[in-house]
Structure formats: structure tokens, C-alpha cells
Amino acid sequence: MDGLKGSGATSAELLDAPEGYASGLPWLGVHVDSDLGDDVEPNWLGAVAQGAVADLMRADEERTADVIGGGVVFDTGPDGIPVTVVLGTGSIEAGQQFESPADAALRAHVQDVAKEFNLSVESIDIFHPLNSVIRVILDVPDGVDPQWTIDDLTGALAGSPKIVEALFVELRSPQGVALLRQGSAYRVGEGGLWTAPGQDVRFGATRSVPTPASSFVSP
């Protein structure tokens, strides 16, 4: 887990499949210290770890789903009560390599994309579970109806072909209010999306869900 140090993911372990899930493969349990509970960001971290471990364990399997059957995230909620979330896994080609530019180049890339989309960069975090992962918080100006969608933004940030193995984006108002969170973990084909009321339409977020508690979905 050294590659995710400082992300909030603290440790990982191989587990048997959770009760009710048929699988002859190991699952990955990921411990996260976020106090967010079942939310997009900690679940995204679990999927990122799951994909990295699957490719590290891989022999000649063609799909990451042939290596690890799924993931389980252990976190606590805002009330301090432990929360366990079971993640799925997509049928994604194993052994992917992403361009993964130097950190300085990635930071410059995020700044360039933010300028193009008329956004301000609040923070950029870069991690290296295998290749590079970006977590970014962007501020959206008040009174602006974007002429782009969240898929346009994340597509520009991730690049084509993708330059990072995972991406997390949070959009906020200038007052610091969360408007949208989206995470994608490309090694396992898992992603999550949450929007505040009305922001799904504003940002063209067609896969929005009403609350973070049920927001982790396959892209």
C-alpha cells in the first residue's frame, strides 16, 4: 500500500469471498481512514487498490477479474460507526500500462485542463499504486452553466489514451460546498458518481444517484 500512502487507504489483505458471493478467487479487503463511510472516494480507493493488487498477483490471467473476485472496503462513517462496503469488479484486460508522466507534468496537465474548462484548482494529489493516479478538487465559478459535461472534463483529465490508471474529481462551489464527486478505477472497470441536488443536470451527470450511500456503480 506504499503507493497509496497519504490517500486515506491504510492497509489491505486477501480475504475469502463475502457471505453470499460465490467465488473461487481471493477478494481484497481495503482499510480506509476517511470517516466518510459508504461514499464515492473511499470506495474508489478500494477499487484502485484492488486493480493494482490484481495486476501485481497476475501470472498469465487475461482479466483482472480472473485474479481477484472483488473488493471489500472497511471504513467508518461520520458518526464513527464502522461501515463495510462490497465492491464488484469489471471484466477488464489485465496488465494494462498507462503513460504515467512525471508528477510535475501531471500537475501542469491538470492546471491546463482546469483553465480550459474555466475552473480553479483547489488541490491535486498524485499516487503511484502501480502507474499514476490523480485525485483533484476543482472550484466552479458561481452563476456559470458549463457548456461541457463531467464526462468531457474527466476525459480531458484522463487523456486518450489514458495517461493515469485512476482518476477522482470533486467539483466544489467557491464557498467550498461539494457539487459532484466522480471516481474511476480503470484496472477493474469500477467507478462511482454522486451529485448534490440539481447538479446532475448542470454537469450532464447521467449516472447520478440520490445519496453517496448507493453511489458506487460500474461505469
Side-chain angles (χ1 to χ4, degrees):
M1 295 293 289
D2 287 351
L4 287 174
K5 185 176 181 180
S7 68
T10 58
S11 64
E13 58 194 341
L14 293 178
L15 307 171
D16 293 332
E19 185 176 354
Y21 290 82
S23 175
L25 297 172
W27 282 48
L28 188 72
V30 181
H31 297 265
V32 178
D33 183 15
S34 75
D35 294 332
L36 294 174
D38 185 2
D39 203 338
V40 175
E41 186 173 355
N43 294 346
W44 170 75
L45 285 170
V48 172
Q50 181 183 330
V53 171
D55 270 341
L56 285 171
M57 291 176 56
R58 171 179 175 256
D60 57 1
E61 292 88 351
E62 295 184 356
R63 304 282 175 176
T64 51
D66 297 328
V67 183
I68 288 181
V72 182
V73 174
F74 303 99
D75 197 3
T76 55
D79 54 7
I81 296 176
V83 174
T84 300
V85 181
V86 177
L87 308 179
T89 187
S91 183
I92 304 299
E93 179 184 357
Q96 293 185 79
Q97 293 296 317
F98 300 85
E99 183 181 339
S100 195
D103 287 4
L106 280 175
R107 291 181 186 279
H109 169 68
V110 171
Q111 293 283 357
D112 288 344
V113 171
K115 183 177 181 180
E116 176 186 350
F117 283 76
N118 192 30
L119 302 169
S120 300
V121 177
E122 182 73 23
S123 66
I124 305 171
D125 294 314
I126 299 173
F127 309 106
H128 304 92
L130 288 183
N131 297 134
S132 296
V133 167
I134 297 174
R135 180 173 64 190
V136 61
I137 298 175
L138 303 170
D139 290 341
V140 183
D142 281 336
V144 172
D145 288 325
Q147 301 303 302
W148 45 266
T149 68
I150 185 59
D151 286 345
D152 294 333
L153 175 61
T154 56
L157 288 167
S160 181
K162 292 181 176 63
I163 60 175
V164 293
E165 65 178 277
L167 172 68
F168 177 86
V169 175
E170 179 170 316
L171 300 181
R172 293 182 179 176
S173 72
Q175 296 75 36
V177 177
L179 306 174
L180 178 150
R181 301 186 193 100
Q182 180 167 307
S184 298
Y186 304 123
R187 291 189 186 277
V188 291
E190 289 292 312
L193 173 67
W194 169 86
T195 64
Q199 302 303 315
D200 53 342
V201 175
R202 184 183 184 192
F203 297 108
T206 57
R207 290 175 293 130
S208 180
V209 295
T211 65
S214 57
S215 60
F216 213 65
V217 295
S218 296

Coordinates of all heavy atoms in Angstrom, one line a residue, residues 55-115:
D55 N -3.1 -6.9 -10.6 CA -2.0 -6.9 -11.6 C -0.7 -7.3 -11.0 O 0.1 -7.9 -11.7 CB -1.9 -5.6 -12.3 CG -2.8 -5.5 -13.6 OD1 -3.2 -6.6 -14.1 OD2 -3.1 -4.4 -14.0
L56 N -0.5 -7.0 -9.7 CA 0.8 -7.5 -9.1 C 0.7 -9.0 -8.9 O 1.8 -9.7 -9.0 CB 0.9 -6.8 -7.7 CG 1.4 -5.3 -7.8 CD1 1.3 -4.7 -6.4 CD2 2.8 -5.2 -8.3
M57 N -0.4 -9.6 -8.6 CA -0.6 -11.0 -8.4 C -0.7 -11.8 -9.7 O -0.5 -13.0 -9.7 CB -1.8 -11.3 -7.5 CG -1.8 -10.8 -6.1 SD -3.3 -11.1 -5.2 CE -3.6 -12.9 -5.5
R58 N -0.9 -11.1 -10.8 CA -1.2 -11.8 -12.0 C -0.1 -12.7 -12.5 O 1.1 -12.3 -12.4 CB -1.6 -10.7 -13.1 CG -1.7 -11.2 -14.5 CD -2.1 -10.1 -15.4 NE -2.1 -10.5 -16.8 CZ -1.2 -10.2 -17.7 NH1 -0.1 -9.5 -17.3 NH2 -1.3 -10.6 -18.9
A59 N -0.4 -13.8 -13.0 CA 0.6 -14.7 -13.7 C 0.3 -14.5 -15.2 O 1.0 -13.7 -15.8 CB 0.4 -16.1 -13.3
D60 N -0.6 -15.3 -15.8 CA -0.9 -15.1 -17.2 C -2.4 -14.9 -17.4 O -2.9 -15.1 -18.5 CB -0.4 -16.3 -18.0 CG -1.0 -17.6 -17.5 OD1 -1.8 -17.6 -16.5 OD2 -0.7 -18.7 -18.1
E61 N -3.1 -14.5 -16.4 CA -4.6 -14.3 -16.5 C -4.8 -13.1 -17.4 O -4.1 -12.2 -17.5 CB -5.2 -14.0 -15.1 CG -5.2 -15.2 -14.2 CD -3.9 -15.3 -13.3 OE1 -3.0 -14.5 -13.7 OE2 -3.9 -16.1 -12.4
E62 N -5.9 -13.3 -18.2 CA -6.2 -12.2 -19.2 C -7.0 -11.1 -18.6 O -7.0 -10.0 -19.2 CB -7.0 -12.9 -20.4 CG -6.2 -13.9 -21.2 CD -7.0 -14.4 -22.4 OE1 -8.2 -14.0 -22.5 OE2 -6.4 -15.2 -23.2
R63 N -7.7 -11.3 -17.5 CA -8.6 -10.3 -16.9 C -8.3 -10.1 -15.5 O -7.9 -11.1 -14.8 CB -10.1 -10.7 -17.1 CG -10.5 -10.9 -18.5 CD -10.7 -9.6 -19.3 NE -11.0 -9.8 -20.7 CZ -11.3 -8.9 -21.6 NH1 -11.3 -7.6 -21.1 NH2 -11.5 -9.1 -22.8
T64 N -8.4 -8.9 -15.0 CA -8.1 -8.7 -13.5 C -9.2 -9.5 -12.7 O -8.9 -9.9 -11.6 CB -8.2 -7.2 -13.2 OG1 -9.4 -6.6 -13.7 CG2 -7.0 -6.5 -13.7
A65 N -10.4 -9.6 -13.3 CA -11.4 -10.4 -12.6 C -11.1 -11.9 -12.5 O -11.8 -12.6 -11.7 CB -12.8 -10.2 -13.3
D66 N -10.1 -12.4 -13.2 CA -9.6 -13.7 -13.1 C -8.6 -13.9 -12.0 O -8.2 -15.0 -11.7 CB -9.0 -14.2 -14.4 CG -10.1 -14.2 -15.6 OD1 -11.3 -14.4 -15.3 OD2 -9.6 -14.0 -16.7
V67 N -8.2 -12.8 -11.4 CA -7.2 -12.8 -10.3 C -7.8 -12.6 -9.0 O -7.5 -13.3 -8.0 CB -6.1 -11.8 -10.6 CG1 -5.0 -11.9 -9.6 CG2 -5.5 -11.9 -12.0
I68 N -8.6 -11.5 -8.9 CA -9.3 -11.2 -7.6 C -10.8 -11.1 -7.9 O -11.2 -10.4 -8.9 CB -8.7 -9.9 -7.1 CG1 -7.3 -10.1 -6.5 CG2 -9.7 -9.3 -6.0 CD1 -6.7 -8.8 -5.9
G69 N -11.6 -11.7 -7.1 CA -13.0 -11.8 -7.3 C -13.8 -10.5 -7.0 O -14.9 -10.3 -7.5
G70 N -13.2 -9.7 -6.2 CA -13.9 -8.4 -5.8 C -13.2 -7.8 -4.7 O -12.1 -8.2 -4.2
G71 N -13.8 -6.7 -4.2 CA -13.1 -6.0 -3.1 C -14.1 -5.6 -2.0 O -15.4 -5.6 -2.2
V72 N -13.6 -5.4 -0.8 CA -14.4 -5.0 0.4 C -13.7 -3.8 1.0 O -12.5 -3.9 1.3 CB -14.5 -6.1 1.4 CG1 -15.4 -5.7 2.6 CG2 -15.1 -7.4 0.7
V73 N -14.4 -2.7 1.2 CA -13.9 -1.5 1.9 C -14.3 -1.5 3.3 O -15.5 -1.6 3.6 CB -14.3 -0.3 1.1 CG1 -13.8 1.0 1.8 CG2 -13.7 -0.3 -0.3
F74 N -13.4 -1.3 4.2 CA -13.7 -1.1 5.6 C -13.4 0.3 6.0 O -12.2 0.8 5.9 CB -12.9 -2.1 6.5 CG -13.1 -3.5 6.1 CD1 -12.1 -4.2 5.3 CD2 -14.2 -4.2 6.6 CE1 -12.3 -5.5 5.0 CE2 -14.4 -5.6 6.3 CZ -13.4 -6.2 5.5
D75 N -14.4 1.1 6.5 CA -14.2 2.5 6.8 C -15.1 2.8 8.0 O -15.8 1.8 8.6 CB -14.5 3.3 5.6 CG -14.0 4.8 5.8 OD1 -13.3 5.1 6.7 OD2 -14.3 5.6 4.8
T76 N -15.1 4.0 8.5 CA -16.1 4.4 9.5 C -16.9 5.6 8.9 O -16.4 6.3 8.0 CB -15.4 4.9 10.8 OG1 -14.5 5.9 10.4 CG2 -14.7 3.7 11.5
G77 N -18.1 5.7 9.3 CA -19.0 6.8 8.9 C -18.7 8.0 9.7 O -17.9 8.1 10.7
P78 N -19.4 9.2 9.3 CA -19.2 10.4 10.1 C -19.6 10.3 11.5 O -19.1 11.1 12.4 CB -20.2 11.4 9.4 CG -20.3 10.8 8.0 CD -20.2 9.3 8.2
D79 N -20.4 9.3 11.9 CA -20.8 9.1 13.3 C -19.9 8.1 14.0 O -20.2 7.8 15.2 CB -22.3 8.5 13.3 CG -22.4 7.3 12.4 OD1 -21.4 6.8 11.9 OD2 -23.6 6.8 12.3
G80 N -18.8 7.7 13.3 CA -17.9 6.8 14.0 C -18.2 5.3 13.9 O -17.5 4.5 14.4
I81 N -19.4 5.0 13.3 CA -19.8 3.6 13.3 C -19.1 2.9 12.1 O -19.0 3.5 11.0 CB -21.3 3.5 13.1 CG1 -22.0 4.1 14.3 CG2 -21.8 2.1 12.8 CD1 -23.5 4.1 14.2
P82 N -18.5 1.7 12.3 CA -17.8 1.0 11.2 C -18.8 0.7 10.0 O -20.0 0.4 10.2 CB -17.4 -0.3 11.8 CG -17.3 0.0 13.3 CD -18.4 1.0 13.6
V83 N -18.2 0.9 8.8 CA -19.0 0.7 7.6 C -18.2 -0.3 6.7 O -17.0 -0.2 6.5 CB -19.2 2.0 6.8 CG1 -19.9 1.7 5.5 CG2 -20.1 2.9 7.7
T84 N -18.9 -1.3 6.2 CA -18.3 -2.3 5.2 C -19.1 -2.2 3.9 O -20.3 -2.3 3.9 CB -18.4 -3.7 5.8 OG1 -17.7 -3.8 7.0 CG2 -17.8 -4.7 4.8
V85 N -18.3 -2.0 2.8 CA -18.9 -1.9 1.5 C -18.3 -3.0 0.6 O -17.1 -3.1 0.5 CB -18.6 -0.5 0.9 CG1 -19.3 -0.4 -0.5 CG2 -19.2 0.6 1.8
V86 N -19.1 -3.7 -0.1 CA -18.7 -4.8 -1.0 C -18.7 -4.1 -2.4 O -19.7 -3.6 -2.9 CB -19.6 -6.0 -1.0 CG1 -19.2 -7.0 -2.0 CG2 -19.6 -6.6 0.4
L87 N -17.5 -4.2 -3.1 CA -17.3 -3.7 -4.4 C -17.4 -4.9 -5.4 O -17.0 -6.0 -5.1 CB -16.0 -3.0 -4.5 CG -15.7 -1.9 -3.5 CD1 -14.3 -1.4 -3.8 CD2 -16.7 -0.8 -3.5
G88 N -17.7 -4.5 -6.6 CA -17.7 -5.5 -7.7 C -16.4 -5.5 -8.4 O -15.4 -4.9 -7.9
T89 N -16.3 -6.1 -9.6 CA -15.1 -5.9 -10.5 C -15.6 -6.1 -11.9 O -16.5 -6.9 -12.2 CB -14.1 -7.0 -10.1 OG1 -12.9 -6.7 -10.9 CG2 -14.5 -8.4 -10.4
G90 N -15.0 -5.4 -12.8 CA -15.3 -5.5 -14.2 C -14.4 -6.5 -14.9 O -13.4 -6.9 -14.4
S91 N -14.8 -6.9 -16.1 CA -14.0 -7.8 -16.9 C -13.1 -7.0 -17.8 O -13.4 -6.7 -18.9 CB -15.0 -8.7 -17.8 OG -14.2 -9.6 -18.5
I92 N -12.0 -6.6 -17.2 CA -11.0 -5.7 -17.8 C -9.7 -6.4 -18.1 O -9.3 -7.2 -17.3 CB -10.8 -4.5 -16.8 CG1 -12.1 -3.8 -16.5 CG2 -9.8 -3.5 -17.5 CD1 -12.9 -3.2 -17.6
E93 N -9.1 -6.0 -19.2 CA -7.9 -6.6 -19.6 C -6.8 -6.4 -18.5 O -6.6 -5.3 -18.0 CB -7.4 -6.0 -20.9 CG -6.0 -6.5 -21.4 CD -5.5 -5.8 -22.6 OE1 -6.3 -4.9 -23.1 OE2 -4.4 -6.1 -23.1
A94 N -6.1 -7.5 -18.1 CA -5.1 -7.4 -17.1 C -3.8 -6.9 -17.7 O -3.6 -7.0 -18.9 CB -4.9 -8.8 -16.4
G95 N -2.9 -6.4 -16.8 CA -1.6 -6.0 -17.2 C -1.5 -4.7 -18.0 O -0.6 -4.4 -18.7
Q96 N -2.5 -3.8 -17.9 CA -2.5 -2.6 -18.6 C -1.3 -1.7 -18.1 O -1.0 -1.7 -17.0 CB -3.8 -1.8 -18.4 CG -5.0 -2.4 -19.0 CD -6.2 -1.5 -18.8 OE1 -6.4 -0.5 -19.6 NE2 -7.1 -1.8 -17.8
Q97 N -0.8 -1.0 -19.1 CA 0.3 0.0 -18.8 C -0.2 1.4 -19.2 O -0.7 1.6 -20.3 CB 1.6 -0.3 -19.5 CG 2.2 -1.6 -19.0 CD 2.6 -1.5 -17.5 OE1 3.2 -0.5 -17.1 NE2 2.4 -2.6 -16.7
F98 N -0.1 2.4 -18.3 CA -0.6 3.7 -18.6 C 0.7 4.6 -18.7 O 1.7 4.4 -18.1 CB -1.5 4.2 -17.5 CG -2.7 3.3 -17.3 CD1 -2.7 2.2 -16.6 CD2 -3.9 3.7 -18.0 CE1 -3.8 1.4 -16.4 CE2 -5.0 2.9 -17.9 CZ -5.0 1.7 -17.1
E99 N 0.6 5.7 -19.5 CA 1.7 6.5 -19.8 C 2.4 7.0 -18.5 O 3.6 7.1 -18.4 CB 1.3 7.7 -20.7 CG 2.4 8.6 -21.1 CD 2.0 9.7 -22.0 OE1 0.9 9.6 -22.6 OE2 2.7 10.7 -22.0
S100 N 1.6 7.5 -17.6 CA 2.1 7.9 -16.3 C 3.2 8.9 -16.3 O 4.4 8.6 -15.9 CB 2.5 6.6 -15.5 OG 2.7 6.9 -14.1
P101 N 3.0 10.1 -16.8 CA 4.0 11.1 -16.9 C 4.6 11.5 -15.5 O 4.0 11.1 -14.5 CB 3.3 12.3 -17.5 CG 2.1 11.8 -18.2 CD 1.7 10.6 -17.4
A102 N 5.7 12.2 -15.5 CA 6.2 12.7 -14.2 C 5.2 13.5 -13.5 O 4.3 14.1 -14.1 CB 7.5 13.5 -14.5
D103 N 5.3 13.5 -12.2 CA 4.3 14.2 -11.3 C 4.2 15.7 -11.7 O 3.1 16.2 -11.8 CB 4.7 14.1 -9.9 CG 4.4 12.7 -9.3 OD1 4.0 11.8 -10.1 OD2 4.6 12.6 -8.1
A104 N 5.3 16.3 -12.0 CA 5.2 17.7 -12.4 C 4.5 17.9 -13.7 O 3.7 18.9 -13.8 CB 6.7 18.3 -12.6
A105 N 4.6 17.0 -14.6 CA 3.9 17.1 -15.9 C 2.4 16.8 -15.7 O 1.6 17.5 -16.3 CB 4.5 16.1 -16.9
L106 N 2.1 15.9 -14.8 CA 0.7 15.7 -14.5 C 0.0 16.9 -13.8 O -1.1 17.2 -14.1 CB 0.5 14.5 -13.5 CG 0.6 13.1 -14.2 CD1 0.6 12.0 -13.1 CD2 -0.5 12.9 -15.2
R107 N 0.7 17.5 -12.9 CA 0.2 18.7 -12.3 C 0.0 19.8 -13.3 O -1.1 20.5 -13.3 CB 1.1 19.2 -11.1 CG 1.2 18.3 -10.0 CD 2.1 18.8 -8.9 NE 2.2 17.8 -7.8 CZ 1.4 17.6 -6.8 NH1 0.3 18.4 -6.8 NH2 1.5 16.7 -5.9
A108 N 0.9 20.0 -14.2 CA 0.8 21.0 -15.2 C -0.4 20.6 -16.1 O -1.2 21.5 -16.6 CB 2.1 21.1 -16.1
H109 N -0.6 19.4 -16.4 CA -1.7 18.9 -17.2 C -3.0 19.3 -16.6 O -4.0 19.8 -17.2 CB -1.6 17.4 -17.5 CG -2.8 16.8 -18.1 ND1 -3.2 17.0 -19.3 CD2 -3.7 15.9 -17.5 CE1 -4.3 16.3 -19.6 NE2 -4.6 15.6 -18.5
V110 N -3.2 19.0 -15.3 CA -4.4 19.3 -14.6 C -4.7 20.8 -14.6 O -5.8 21.3 -14.8 CB -4.3 18.8 -13.1 CG1 -5.5 19.3 -12.3 CG2 -4.3 17.3 -13.1
Q111 N -3.6 21.6 -14.4 CA -3.8 23.1 -14.4 C -4.3 23.5 -15.8 O -5.1 24.4 -16.0 CB -2.5 23.8 -14.1 CG -2.0 23.6 -12.6 CD -2.8 24.5 -11.7 OE1 -3.7 25.3 -12.1 NE2 -2.5 24.3 -10.4
D112 N -3.7 22.9 -16.9 CA -4.1 23.3 -18.3 C -5.6 22.9 -18.5 O -6.3 23.7 -19.1 CB -3.2 22.6 -19.3 CG -1.8 23.1 -19.3 OD1 -1.6 24.3 -18.8 OD2 -0.9 22.4 -19.8
V113 N -6.0 21.7 -18.1 CA -7.3 21.3 -18.3 C -8.3 22.2 -17.5 O -9.3 22.6 -18.0 CB -7.5 19.8 -17.9 CG1 -9.0 19.5 -17.9 CG2 -6.8 18.9 -18.9
A114 N -7.9 22.5 -16.3 CA -8.8 23.4 -15.4 C -9.0 24.7 -16.1 O -10.1 25.3 -16.2 CB -8.2 23.6 -14.1
K115 N -7.9 25.3 -16.6 CA -8.0 26.6 -17.3 C -8.9 26.5 -18.6 O -9.7 27.4 -18.8 CB -6.6 27.1 -17.7 CG -6.6 28.4 -18.4 CD -5.2 28.9 -18.7 CE -5.1 30.2 -19.4 NZ -3.7 30.7 -19.7

